[in-house]
Amino acid sequence: RDPLPGGVPFQLRFPAVTEARGQAERRQARPAARVTVLTGKAEKSPMEFDGAELFYIGRGTESRERNIINHLVFVAGDRITCSVSRNHGHIFWDEATAACRFAKDRRENKAVLYRNGRGAGTEVNEFQTPMLHNGDHLRLGKAEIRFELLQDRNQQPGGVQ
């Protein structure tokens, strides 16, 4: 800091450089995550994924409406699984908050978030993308999944707190 004439201090800032450093640090901090189906039937459960990628959830492999292949695939066969929409929602990484979040893909899809699997639950509406914490449960229709953060892919369920 050098003073201007008259003794007023000033400081040069380079926000683009500082912002780029912060983004690089957040990218490196993206955790792996695991999703486990607790009620309902899925092709594969649990499933691990990199927190940096979009993780689509729905009934059936493909969603005709969005031309995307679901990662967590609920299979038809019972009333619980049939309550999950073909494109129910997705989990994504939010750079601004450095956290995984959940979003419903259709307004009419029912989704309820239970913090750490407990409590009365909070219904997710189309305007919300709640932050997901280790141990949170999501009820999608009548099916339920558990979200877990992992420090590394060899970690057992439980993740970081």
Side-chain angles (χ1 to χ4, degrees), residues 92 94 100-104 124-131:
F92 68 97
D94 179 28
C100 286
R101 292 181 173 272
F102 173 78
K104 291 189 334 180
V124 179
N125 68 41
E126 64 270 22
F127 305 110
Q128 297 172 317
T129 56
M131 192 180 300

Side-chain angles (χ1 to χ4, degrees), residues 111-124:
V112 179
L113 174 67
Y114 297 89
R115 279 285 171 235
N116 207 21
R118 297 187 210 121
T122 304
E123 188 158 351
V124 179

Side-chain angles (χ1 to χ4, degrees), residues 31 86-87 93 118 141 151:
R86 291 186 188 280
N87 50 328
W93 178 258
R118 297 187 210 121
Q151 288 178 338

Side-chain angles (χ1 to χ4, degrees), residues 29 31-32 133-135 147-152 155-161:
H133 299 272
N134 188 49
F147 174 83
E148 297 170 288
L149 294 171
L150 305 175
Q151 288 178 338
D152 62 54
Q155 183 175 324
Q156 294 300 313
V160 289
Q161 294 297 323

